[in-house]
Amino acid sequence: MSAPVTFTEEFSSSVPAPRLFKALIIDGDNLMPKIMPQAIKSVELIHGDGGPGSIKQMNFADGSPLKFVKHRIDALDKEKMTYSYSMVEGGELGNKIESISYEIKMEASPDGGCKGSNVSKYLPKPGIVINEEEIKAGKEKATAVFKAVEAYLLANPETYA
């Protein structure tokens, strides 16, 4: 069995942690297609109630190289502002990757904003070496989503207050 490859990204924002967590994680399914229609067409809850064990399908805009990805929510703690999920279909899964899991954590920073981390764990299929350039492209897309949500919140201070 191949060993998992783990990437950790740290981030910070001037947006308070509870507000960013609410917009990005709790209401992200509604917000992302609204503020990024060129990338994300829709997010559908296809199994469960939105809590752990639920399956969501993110549908990408027409012309995207990917049609959709499906995620399973593994854990969601609104109080501690932690969220973990696994990709269960689509994306890099299939030929090279056995599984991908993500853990997002946010906390208040002394300046009134927040800091956090996003840990991604990729489990390659036997005999496959993960190409960091491929992973980097996926991380850049995730950063673009984060920056779009952050910009929306900064431009709309009353939203998710």
Side-chain angles (χ1 to χ4, degrees), residues 33-105:
K34 183 172 134 182
I35 64 173
M36 301 182 71
Q38 74 285 5
I40 300 167
K41 187 188 289 186
S42 64
V43 181
E44 303 168 45
L45 182 64
I46 56 174
H47 173 78
D49 59 7
S54 297
I55 305 285
K56 294 182 179 187
Q57 178 171 310
M58 180 179 286
N59 298 301
F60 296 106
D62 295 338
S64 172
L66 290 177
K67 290 265 183 238
F68 69 89
V69 292
K70 288 184 183 176
H71 294 136
R72 180 189 63 238
I73 298 171
D74 297 321
L76 173 61
D77 188 325
K78 295 175 188 176
E79 298 294 312
K80 292 181 180 169
M81 291 183 287
T82 59
Y83 178 63
S84 36
Y85 64 98
S86 299
M87 192 176 297
V88 294
E89 189 179 329
E92 295 111 352
L93 292 182
N95 301 337
K96 299 179 179 181
I97 307 288
E98 197 73 50
S99 66
I100 308 172
S101 63
Y102 305 90
E103 293 174 27
I104 298 169
K105 180 177 178 155

Side-chain angles (χ1 to χ4, degrees), residues 10-13 15 17 105-111 113-117:
E10 305 285 327
F11 60 85
S12 61
S13 174
V15 175
K105 180 177 178 155
M106 294 182 199
E107 57 189 33
S109 55
D111 64 4
C114 71
K115 58 184 179 172
S117 63

Side-chain angles (χ1 to χ4, degrees), residues 124-140:
K125 290 199 169 182
I128 298 291
V129 175
I130 292 182
N131 176 341
E132 283 202 39
E133 286 305 310
E134 293 175 77
I135 303 301
K136 194 175 172 188
K139 290 195 308 188
E140 286 170 3

